[in-house]
C-alpha cells in the first residue's frame, strides 16, 4: 500500500491517530503537562474531543487509521512523534523520553494489519516527528531542541540523501519541546511562527523564500497556536485557543475548522501533534 508525503499542505488522504483512552499525566514529560499535573486530565472529556477530531478529518475525506493502544503508554495520543512519512515510506524515529519507549511496537502491529510499509527505523541518536517540517517538496527543517539531536538529524539526512531533499537543522531552546510548537507550515509558502523562538537566520531564510509569516508570541506557543493541521485545499483543523490565528488565516483565504480541544491539549500537543500523516496527494 502506498504511503507518501512530501509537503505539509497537500491533500491529506490517510492519517494515523490514537485514541486517548488512557491519557493521564502520571509523570510529566513536558512543561505543559507540568502545568496541568495537579488537576490532571479528564480522560472522558479528552476522548470526546478526540472523537470530534476524527469526525472533522473524516468529513474532509481523510481515512483515519487508529493505532492500538495500551494503559502502559498514556501519551500515545500524540502520534506525530513516532517519526515521519517520506517519499520512501515510513521512517520511525527514537523517542527522547523512556516513558514513551514501546509505542512503536504497538504501531508496528497496526501497520502490519493495514499493509503499511515501514522503510527505516532509527537506531542511533534521537529523533521525534514533531521536529520534522517540510518547507517545500525539496526542503525540510528539522528542529534540534531536546527531543531530537544532531545524530538523529544526520541519520534522517542519510535516509533522504538520494531524494534531492535539503535538510536545514533549526536549533531552539528545549522549553519549546518540538519545532512544530514554534513553527508550522500550513500552506504553500505560509507558516505560523514564533520568531523569538527560532534563529534569526532561519526567519531570514523563510522571508527570502517569500513565505508569509503569521507570528505568535512565546506565550502563545504554550497555547498550541502554531500546532495546527493542514488537510489540504487551504483547509486547516485548528482549535479554540488559537482564535486570533484562525482569524488571520481566514483573512488570507483559509477555511478553518475550529475544534474544542481544551482537555486533550493538556497532554502537550495540538492537532498536528495528534496526527501522523500516511498519505498526501
Amino acid at each position: 500500500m502506498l504511503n507518501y508525503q512530501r509537503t505539509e499542505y497537500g491533500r491529506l488522504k490517510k492519517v494515523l491517530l490514537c485514541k486517548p483512552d488512557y491519557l493521564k499525566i502520571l509523570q510529566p514529560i513536558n512543561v505543559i503537562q507540568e502545568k496541568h499535573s495537579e488537576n490532571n486530565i479528564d480522560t472522558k472529556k479528552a476522548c470526546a474531543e478526540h472523537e470530534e477530531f476524527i469526525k472533522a478529518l473524516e468529513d474532509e475525506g481523510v481515512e483515519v487509521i487508529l493505532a492500538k493502544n495500551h494503559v502502559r503508554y498514556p501519551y500515545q495520543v500524540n502520534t506525530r512523534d513516532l517519526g515521519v512519512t517520506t517519499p520512501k515510506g515510513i521512517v520511525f524515529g527514537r523517542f527522547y523520553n523512556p516513558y514513551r519507549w514501546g509505542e512503536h511496537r504497538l504501531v508496528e502491529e497496526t501497520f502490519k494489519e493495514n499493509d503499511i510499509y515501514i522503510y527505516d527505523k532509527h537506531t542511533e541518536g534521537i529523533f521525534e516527528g514533531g521536529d520534522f517540517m517540510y518547507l517545500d517538496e525539496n526542503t525540510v527543517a528539522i528542529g534540534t531542541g531536546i527531543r531530537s539531536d544532531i545524530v538523529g538529524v544526520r541519520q534522517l539526512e542519510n535516509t533522504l540523501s538520494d531524494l534531492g531533499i535539503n535538510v536545514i537543522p533549526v536549533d531552539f531552546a528545549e522549553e519549546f519541546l518540538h519545532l512544530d510548537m514554534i513553527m508550522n507550515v500550513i500552506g504553500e509558502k505560509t507558516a505560523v511562527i514564533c520568531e523569538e523562538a527560532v534563529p534569526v537566520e532561519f526567519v531570514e531564510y523563510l522571508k527570502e523564500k517569500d513565505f508569509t509569516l503569521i507570528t505568535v508570541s512565546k506565550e502563545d506557543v504554550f497555547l498550541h497556536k502554531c500546532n495546527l493541521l493542514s488537510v489540504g485545499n487551504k483547509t486547516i483543523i485548528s482549535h479554540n485557543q488559537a482564535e486570533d490565528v484562525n482569524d488571520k488565516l481566514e483573512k488570507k483565504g483559509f477555511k478553518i475548522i475550529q475544534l474544542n480541544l481544551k482537555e486533550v491539549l493538556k497532554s502537550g500537543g495540538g492537532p498536528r501533534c495528534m496526527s501522523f500523516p500516511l498519505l498526501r496527494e
Side-chain angles (χ1 to χ4, degrees):
M1 183 178 288
L2 178 65
N3 297 285
Y4 177 91
Q5 174 173 276
R6 199 159 178 161
T7 73
E8 301 291 338
Y9 46 80
R11 186 181 173 201
L12 185 61
K13 299 289 290 179
K14 184 166 56 175
V15 67
L16 177 79
L17 304 185
C18 186
K19 290 186 176 183
D21 295 328
Y22 308 109
L23 181 59
K24 281 288 184 184
I25 303 171
L26 303 179
Q27 175 184 319
I29 62 171
N30 59 57
V31 294
I32 295 172
Q33 288 185 5
E34 288 173 2
K35 176 183 175 182
H36 296 289
S37 59
E38 186 173 343
N39 294 324
N40 220 295
I41 295 172
D42 186 321
T43 306
K44 186 176 179 179
K45 287 182 179 178
C47 286
E49 292 172 0
H50 196 264
E51 287 295 333
E52 289 300 310
F53 184 40
I54 292 173
K55 183 178 185 300
L57 286 162
E58 291 180 338
D59 286 349
E60 292 299 316
V62 181
E63 178 188 353
V64 174
I65 293 175
L66 294 172
K68 292 184 177 182
N69 55 13
H70 193 282
V71 66
R72 190 183 302 163
Y73 308 114
Y75 307 133
Q76 279 185 272
V77 65
N78 293 317
T79 56
R80 177 74 61 158
D81 300 340
L82 290 160
V84 65
T85 301
T86 76
K88 291 183 175 181
I90 308 297
V91 176
F92 275 164
R94 293 182 75 223
F95 284 119
Y96 164 75
N97 196 300
Y99 214 68
R100 300 195 66 182
W101 293 354
E103 289 184 28
H104 285 99
R105 290 198 299 272
L106 288 176
V107 174
E108 280 189 65
E109 292 178 23
T110 304
F111 282 179
K112 184 177 180 180
E113 291 175 1
N114 288 274
D115 194 26
I116 295 172
Y117 175 61
I118 300 169
Y119 175 77
D120 194 19
K121 299 178 186 179
H122 275 210
T123 57
E124 297 179 3
I126 303 162
F127 165 65
E128 296 185 1
D131 283 321
F132 185 99
M133 187 74 58
Y134 286 103
L135 302 182
D136 55 45
E137 292 192 0
N138 301 305
T139 315
V140 164
I142 304 182
T144 52
I146 190 173
R147 302 294 186 87
S148 299
D149 62 16
I150 200 64
V151 177
V153 170
R154 294 308 178 208
Q155 185 168 348
L156 191 60
E157 195 172 30
N158 288 339
T159 301
L160 302 176
S161 61
D162 62 341
L163 296 173
I165 294 177
N166 181 38
V167 175
I168 301 174
V170 180
D171 193 40
F172 59 89
E174 30 181 87
E175 65 178 308
F176 297 117
L177 313 180
H178 284 131
L179 180 63
D180 65 7
M181 290 292 286
I182 54 178
M183 183 267 177
N184 189 3
V185 175
I186 44 79
E188 187 171 4
K189 292 192 179 297
T190 306
V192 183
I193 188 169
C194 176
E195 293 189 10
E196 304 169 86
V198 297
V200 173
E201 298 78 14
F202 184 58
V203 176
E204 290 175 350
Y205 172 86
L206 294 175
K207 289 178 177 178
E208 287 172 5
K209 296 295 182 179
D210 296 321
F211 268 77
T212 296
L213 301 181
I214 297 158
T215 59
V216 303
S217 68
K218 284 186 177 181
E219 293 72 26
D220 290 338
V221 165
F222 300 102
L223 295 174
H224 303 93
K225 291 191 181 184
C226 288
N227 205 263
L228 317 177
L229 176 67
S230 170
V231 295
N233 298 325
K234 296 196 76 171
T235 300
I236 308 296
I237 295 183
S238 185
H239 52 89
N240 51 3
Q241 290 187 176
E243 285 191 274
D244 54 338
V245 173
N246 297 341
D247 290 342
K248 292 176 183 178
L249 289 171
E250 283 182 334
K251 289 176 181 176
K252 296 186 180 299
F254 287 87
K255 172 188 171 183
I256 304 298
I257 301 169
Q258 182 173 300
L259 302 179
N260 175 17
L261 298 177
K262 179 181 178 182
E263 205 66 29
V264 76
L265 291 181
K266 293 177 182 178
S267 70
R272 188 180 195 272
C273 287
M274 294 191 296
S275 55
F276 186 101
L278 297 168
L279 179 63
R280 284 190 187 269
E281 286 185 346

